[in-house]
Amino acid sequence: GAAAAPLADGVLADAARRGSIRMSADPASSRARMETLYALEAVAERNRPVAPPKKPEAAPFFLPSEMDAQRRDAAPPPALPPPPPEDDAFAGDDGSDADGSDADGAVAGAAAEASRCRLASLSLAEDATDVATHLGALGASALDAEIALLCRGPHDAPGVELVRRFAGHLATTLETHGHFDAIQAYLHRLVQHHAAVLSLPQLRGPLATLAAAQRAAAARFRGLVHENLCLLEVATAD
């Protein structure tokens, strides 16, 4: 179907004042995609082959060629020189720079790694709307892959910075009361892929901000559900 028309600024302001929340633009396709995101591990387990691939009994026969002989006679490539020893003279006890510039280095490294995926480059920008729009246009598998590509683990300093930026965009979107259902699924995949990264000390502040935004969004949702429940109870009272 056609995409929903954007809400007017006055409507958005009134919704924010009353504590309303907004779901994704296309509920029909969004619901299926969100449910798939929550069940990706179960889907992978279901699609796992029941038996490993078997080598065929009669492999095809190939005639040797002159090129094969040249490959066998060719000298092996020269070994790469060993990496130079690391100079720790200017590093602090914790491995960071003495002037505390490790954060600046992480930001610069993240900018250099923006080509990992489209989500990485958008996370480095300031506009959280672009992140939500991009993720909303992806299928479940592609979306999950982009979130996974943000960081390779706690040792990946640029990736840690990308996760920090992405978590900040999720918090901003929650604070604007938008894409409530989609953000819940994105949070689920973020924690599934990067739980070890999110527990790092340098992410404690951004994670606390995200948790506070999630608590506020959950409270708004519970309030709306409770209000409707009260109205139903009044309507059905004897």
Side-chain angles (χ1 to χ4, degrees):
L7 298 177
D9 294 339
V11 176
L12 293 176
D14 180 67
R17 183 170 55 254
R18 293 186 293 109
S20 301
I21 58 176
R22 300 191 306 277
M23 298 295 183
S24 299
D26 188 357
S29 61
S30 176
R31 177 180 177 182
R33 192 173 66 117
M34 297 308 124
E35 290 178 350
T36 302
L37 284 172
Y38 283 114
L40 279 177
E41 283 77 17
V43 172
E45 182 66 25
R46 183 192 62 191
N47 295 338
R48 180 177 298 177
V50 295
K54 295 182 179 180
K55 182 179 179 180
E57 297 180 359
F61 176 73
F62 297 99
L63 293 174
S65 64
E66 183 178 353
M67 185 175 295
D68 295 329
Q70 292 176 356
R71 291 196 188 100
R72 288 193 296 268
D73 297 338
L80 295 176
E86 296 183 359
D87 187 4
D88 295 332
F90 299 99
D93 295 337
D94 59 350
S96 61
D97 293 343
D99 59 355
S101 61
D102 52 343
D104 296 336
V107 174
E113 294 290 333
S115 60
R116 292 183 181 186
C117 58
R118 178 64 175 162
L119 178 59
S121 61
L122 291 176
S123 296
L124 291 172
E126 299 296 331
D127 192 355
T129 304
D130 290 343
V131 173
T133 301
H134 170 66
L135 293 180
L138 297 177
S141 297
L143 189 154
D144 182 65
E146 292 221 357
I147 293 178
L149 286 171
L150 287 178
C151 187
R152 303 182 182 95
H155 63 282
D156 180 12
V160 172
E161 176 64 18
L162 290 173
V163 169
R164 186 186 74 82
R165 295 293 189 96
F166 179 57
H169 287 315
L170 293 182
T172 299
T173 306
L174 282 172
E175 291 168 354
T176 60
H177 305 185
H179 303 278
F180 178 78
D181 53 339
I183 295 299
Q184 303 310 306
Y186 303 160
L187 273 173
H188 178 265
R189 301 317 303 167
L190 178 66
V191 175
Q192 286 288 327
H193 287 299
H194 305 300
V197 175
L198 293 172
S199 64
L200 294 175
Q202 59 265 42
L203 293 188
R204 191 167 300 162
L207 193 61
T209 301
L210 178 57
Q214 174 71 355
R215 280 193 294 269
R220 287 194 299 271
F221 184 77
R222 285 194 299 267
L224 292 173
V225 172
H226 183 70
E227 179 181 353
N228 289 335
L229 179 60
C230 292
L231 293 174
L232 288 173
E233 290 178 348
V234 170
T236 57
D238 294 334

